[in-house]
Amino acid sequence: MSKKIRRIIIALVLLVMIVIAAGGLGYYYILAPNTTVNDDGIVYVRDSANSVSQVFETLRRQGYIKSIHTLNGVAKLKRFVSQVRPGRYKIRDGMNNNELINMLRAGNQYPVTFTFNNMRTLEEFATKATEELAVSKNELLTLLKDTDVLANLGFDSCTIMAMFIPNTYQIYWNTSALDLLKRMKKEYDRFWNENRMAKATAMGLSPEEVITLASIIEEETVKPEEYPVIAGVYVNRLNRGIKLDACPTLKYVLGDFTISRILDRYLKIDSPYNTYMYAGLPPGPIRMASIKVIDSVLNYQKHDYLFFCAKSDFSGYHNFSKTLRQHNIYAREYHQELNKRKIWK
């Protein structure tokens, strides 16, 4: 074998070795798993600490990164020098540096599973949002009192409660207060699909009025099977022009839903929410109504009942009546039991 051929072979062998070494080094830096996760892997990047070096150091300090040296190396290679977008990120076990950097650079957040239900006030909603999202409670409540903001959403100060449909939503942690409200409006529009709108129209009610009625019914009973029956009572009264005489509306005016006994003096409170004084529905919901109650109103039970009264056995169920005479008998039994139990308010 000539010296020339020998040199060529040696050069080729060296080239192969260099390629293999480079490939191995590249794999080690870029594609080899570089994360270890033994918890939920959730990391919050805030505005005040979102430089690349700060975020990498946070990941290292929390034990997610095996080699910060290789991570920094790949970041420089990919020219990732800008700040990381604030947000809530999820680190997965076994991620390589390329995957991790791509996620942070693109700002691919892991959403919060935001659930709210059984809420009576906007303040309760704002508190819940503040606990789970990076929104300011004061800012959110300020927006909910801004007439221009409410008008742009299609509501006013009385009807805005209707916009919130209690459910579970996937929302980015750093969503702004205004964007959160816009998201709730989007979910409201999605909820009121063609089928629900058709049923509301057939009842002669707007979506806000349906929810207002649902909010009253949800305060009337703890028995879901009674929702459509009570809805039927109120629909009958509305259609006949009879005042609703709904106790929960007075409790709303008084600001106390724990009241067990409606006293005569309460009936004289002059408020548009006093359904003992004013016919029709109040100006807006008295709480956030659940989907189950809203659908129960839209699918109300058709019957001839005009009255209902809590049963005297305190079972949580109600007696339903077609006549005032029968209703008064049930009401007398219930009030006698209140007296017996010494429940005066």
Side-chain angles (χ1 to χ4, degrees), residues 122-123 126 136-146:
L122 294 173
E123 179 149 350
S136 162
K137 180 177 178 179
N138 288 336
E139 181 183 3
L140 189 53
L141 289 175
T142 297
L143 291 175
L144 288 168
K145 295 174 184 176
D146 189 313

Side-chain angles (χ1 to χ4, degrees), residues 4 12 17 33 75 125 132 144 153 196 237 242 258 270 286 314 330 332 342:
K4 183 177 181 180
L12 288 173
M17 291 176 65
F125 174 82
E132 300 192 20
L144 288 168
L153 292 170
R196 287 192 174 101
R237 294 178 75 93
I242 304 172
T258 67
D270 192 356
I286 61 173
F314 278 64
Y330 288 138
R332 191 176 306 114
K342 297 182 179 181

Side-chain angles (χ1 to χ4, degrees), residues 154-309:
F155 298 88
D156 58 35
S157 59
C158 293
T159 61
I160 185 59
M161 189 98 74
M163 187 180 76
F164 299 89
I165 306 297
N167 210 337
T168 297
Y169 302 100
Q170 298 293 313
I171 298 179
Y172 288 129
W173 169 73
N174 61 335
T175 296
S176 71
L178 182 58
D179 283 342
L180 176 60
L181 295 182
K182 290 179 179 178
R183 171 66 184 279
M184 291 297 99
K185 176 57 164 61
K186 183 177 180 180
E187 297 296 341
Y188 171 89
D189 291 338
R190 181 179 291 117
F191 175 81
W192 283 101
N193 55 33
E194 186 176 341
N195 181 48
R196 287 192 174 101
M197 283 297 298
K199 290 180 178 179
T201 301
M203 295 174 68
L205 299 176
S206 68
E208 292 84 3
E209 289 173 328
V210 170
I211 293 177
T212 296
L213 184 52
S215 72
I216 296 172
I217 294 168
E218 190 154 8
E219 290 292 346
E220 288 281 19
T221 182
V222 295
K223 305 298 182 181
E225 59 268 35
E226 288 192 339
Y227 291 159
V229 188
I230 295 177
V233 172
Y234 282 140
V235 169
N236 288 342
R237 294 178 75 93
L238 286 171
N239 290 340
R240 299 188 191 191
I242 304 172
K243 292 194 295 291
L244 296 185
D245 290 352
C247 296
T249 61
L250 278 178
K251 295 178 182 180
Y252 174 79
V253 172
L254 293 165
D256 186 358
F257 283 99
T258 67
I259 294 172
S260 298
R261 193 163 195 159
I262 298 299
L263 305 179
D264 288 342
R265 68 173 183 269
Y266 299 161
L267 308 181
K268 300 175 183 178
I269 299 174
D270 192 356
S271 166
Y273 286 88
N274 183 349
T275 55
Y276 283 86
M277 182 175 289
Y278 295 101
L281 290 164
I286 61 173
R287 63 166 296 138
M288 291 184 188
S290 68
I291 292 176
K292 187 174 183 65
V293 188
I294 296 171
D295 283 339
S296 292
V297 172
L298 294 173
N299 298 283
Y300 68 93
Q301 189 177 113
K302 295 177 175 60
H303 52 58
D304 296 324
Y305 295 132
L306 288 173
F307 309 92
F308 64 96
C309 177

Side-chain angles (χ1 to χ4, degrees), residues 81-184:
V81 295
S82 59
Q83 292 182 313
V84 178
R85 298 179 190 176
R88 179 177 184 262
Y89 296 90
K90 184 176 178 65
I91 311 301
R92 293 179 288 102
D93 187 48
M95 292 180 77
N96 60 47
N97 291 330
N98 192 55
E99 293 171 328
L100 183 57
I101 288 171
N102 286 346
M103 178 185 73
L104 295 174
R105 180 158 63 180
N108 292 331
Q109 294 188 54
Y110 191 75
V112 172
T113 300
F114 181 58
T115 301
F116 65 94
N117 50 50
N118 196 30
M119 292 190 170
R120 288 191 171 116
T121 67
L122 294 173
E123 179 149 350
E124 288 180 355
F125 174 82
T127 298
K128 176 73 170 177
T130 301
E131 289 172 351
E132 300 192 20
L133 304 170
V135 297
S136 162
K137 180 177 178 179
N138 288 336
E139 181 183 3
L140 189 53
L141 289 175
T142 297
L143 291 175
L144 288 168
K145 295 174 184 176
D146 189 313
T147 55
D148 290 334
V149 171
L150 298 184
N152 287 333
L153 292 170
F155 298 88
D156 58 35
S157 59
C158 293
T159 61
I160 185 59
M161 189 98 74
M163 187 180 76
F164 299 89
I165 306 297
N167 210 337
T168 297
Y169 302 100
Q170 298 293 313
I171 298 179
Y172 288 129
W173 169 73
N174 61 335
T175 296
S176 71
L178 182 58
D179 283 342
L180 176 60
L181 295 182
K182 290 179 179 178
R183 171 66 184 279
M184 291 297 99

